[in-house]
């Protein structure tokens, strides 16, 4: 419970202190937009690293050399914990927006940071709004911003680390229409930090692996028909390797 309270106190303090920072970032954005993007990214990443430290996460990172630093990408990951977002976003080398559920808009200050960082808010009950979100993500990638999607649509709650919900194929239009590479991410151990025993936060080992870049244009015609199924298979293989190491 001490770790949980420490994280809550830190998050509240960070959000309060960040109120004047919004003004500074707004002014910086008027004169040097690229500098604002970088500074906002690093500020939030610092906060996320503090949260990871407070939670006592022992993190092993594999394949980080697979992440291009000079071009935007589409990150695709399995999803079992809120800590998947905290851990992965803290390591993004360039401006990156996450696709989040629209309910996140209700959280004051946090939603403001998310908007600054190009996060997109998805209404899963509205197909037309969902398509608009995908189109916005395509434009962002074309402008140089990476995008992260958890294509299961929600957190997996099964006991088996290898268990995943089917990937929604619509997310992969971001890569097919923009031509950006897909970076598959596999995360194991994250749900055991918090979700498996809420409200307690416990020190746990987490493995984050980045797979080799995938370009949809280089897949076979059959694979291109269902890229989500193909990428899910790649992630499943990485997850299996975590459990056998």
């Amino acid at each position: 419970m001490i770790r949980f309270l420490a994280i809550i106190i830190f998050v509240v303090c960070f959000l309060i202190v960040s109120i004047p920072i919004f003004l500074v970032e707004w002014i910086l954005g008027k004169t040097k937009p690229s500098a604002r993007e970088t500074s906002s990214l690093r500020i939030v990443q610092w906060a996320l690293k503090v949260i990871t430290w407070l939670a006592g996460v022992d993190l092993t990172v594999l394949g980080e050399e697979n992440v291009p630093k000079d071009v935007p990408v589409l990150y695709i990951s399995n999803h079992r914990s809120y800590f998947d977002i905290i851990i992965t976003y803290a390591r993004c080398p360039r401006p990156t927006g996450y696709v989040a559920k629209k309910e996140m808009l209700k959280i004051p200050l946090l939603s403001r940071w998310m908007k600054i960082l190009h996060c997109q808010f998805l209404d899963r009950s509205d197909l037309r709004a969902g398509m608009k979100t995908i189109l916005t993500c395509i434009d962002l990638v074309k402008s140089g911003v990476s995008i992260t999607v958890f294509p299961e649509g929600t957190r997996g709650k099964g006991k088996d680390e290898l268990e995943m919900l089917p990937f929604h194929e619509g997310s992969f239009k971001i890569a097919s229409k923009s031509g950006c590479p897909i970076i598959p991410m596999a995360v194991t151990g994250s749900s055991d930090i918090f979700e498996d025993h809420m409200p307690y936060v416990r020190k746990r080992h987490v493995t984050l692996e980045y797979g080799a870049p995938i370009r949809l244009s280089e897949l076979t015609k059959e694979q291109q028909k269902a890229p989500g199924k193909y990428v899910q298979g790649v992630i499943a293989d990485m997850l299996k390797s975590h459990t056998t190491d």
Side-chain angles (χ1 to χ4, degrees):
M1 184 62 75
I2 293 176
R3 291 184 187 277
F4 177 75
L5 292 175
I7 291 171
I8 293 299
I9 292 170
F10 171 76
V11 170
V12 171
C13 290
F14 171 77
L15 292 176
I16 293 173
V17 171
S18 68
I19 294 174
I21 296 177
F22 289 139
L23 176 60
V24 175
E25 292 294 284
W26 180 80
I27 295 173
L28 183 61
K30 290 295 183 180
T31 56
K32 298 180 179 179
S34 60
R36 201 272 316 250
E37 285 206 342
T38 300
S39 64
S40 295
L41 176 65
R42 300 311 174 206
I43 289 169
V44 171
Q45 287 182 321
W46 170 82
L48 297 179
K49 289 175 181 177
V50 172
I51 292 172
T52 302
W53 176 77
L54 289 172
V57 176
D58 176 21
L59 181 64
T60 295
V61 181
L62 305 171
E64 199 160 23
E65 68 278 3
N66 288 320
V67 181
K69 295 180 174 59
D70 56 343
V71 295
V73 303
L74 173 63
Y75 295 101
I76 295 291
S77 178
N78 65 311
H79 190 27
R80 292 180 57 84
S81 170
Y82 293 117
F83 275 87
D84 298 335
I85 301 166
I86 295 169
I87 292 168
T88 59
Y89 197 83
R91 308 192 72 84
C92 294
R94 56 184 297 118
T96 304
Y98 275 49
V99 176
K101 56 186 179 181
K102 69 171 186 176
E103 287 78 9
M104 297 297 293
L105 283 167
K106 299 176 183 179
I107 305 176
L109 300 180
L110 176 59
S111 59
R112 178 59 183 165
W113 273 117
M114 293 177 73
K115 289 178 181 179
I116 289 174
L117 296 170
H118 305 292
C119 291
Q120 300 300 306
F121 301 91
L122 181 65
D123 184 350
R124 290 174 289 187
S125 64
D126 188 333
L127 291 177
R128 182 175 295 180
M131 181 54 66
K132 186 177 180 180
T133 298
I134 295 298
L135 292 174
T136 300
C137 289
I138 293 169
D139 289 340
L140 283 171
V141 171
K142 289 181 178 179
S143 71
V145 177
S146 294
I147 294 293
T148 300
V149 178
F150 298 101
E152 292 172 89
T154 186
R155 289 183 294 109
K157 299 176 176 63
K159 292 183 179 180
D160 188 350
E161 287 271 15
L162 304 181
E163 183 180 332
M164 287 183 281
L165 299 169
F167 281 13
H168 295 292
E169 295 288 345
S171 307
F172 294 86
K173 291 185 181 296
I174 298 170
S176 63
K177 297 299 183 181
S178 69
C180 74
I182 295 171
I183 301 297
M185 298 190 297
V187 186
T188 53
S190 58
S191 64
D192 201 27
I193 302 170
F194 180 59
E195 281 80 5
D196 290 350
H197 38 70
M198 293 189 290
Y200 300 99
V201 174
R202 293 177 177 169
K203 183 177 181 179
R204 290 293 186 265
H205 177 259
V206 175
T207 300
L208 164 62
E209 182 174 3
Y210 298 93
I214 298 170
R215 289 193 177 274
L216 296 185
S217 60
E218 297 175 358
L219 300 182
T220 66
K221 289 185 178 180
E222 282 301 311
Q223 291 168 340
Q224 289 180 26
K225 290 179 181 178
K229 183 177 180 180
Y230 174 77
V231 175
Q232 186 167 24
V234 172
I235 293 174
D237 288 340
M238 290 194 289
L239 294 175
K240 289 176 185 176
S241 71
H242 297 179
T243 60
T244 56
D245 287 344

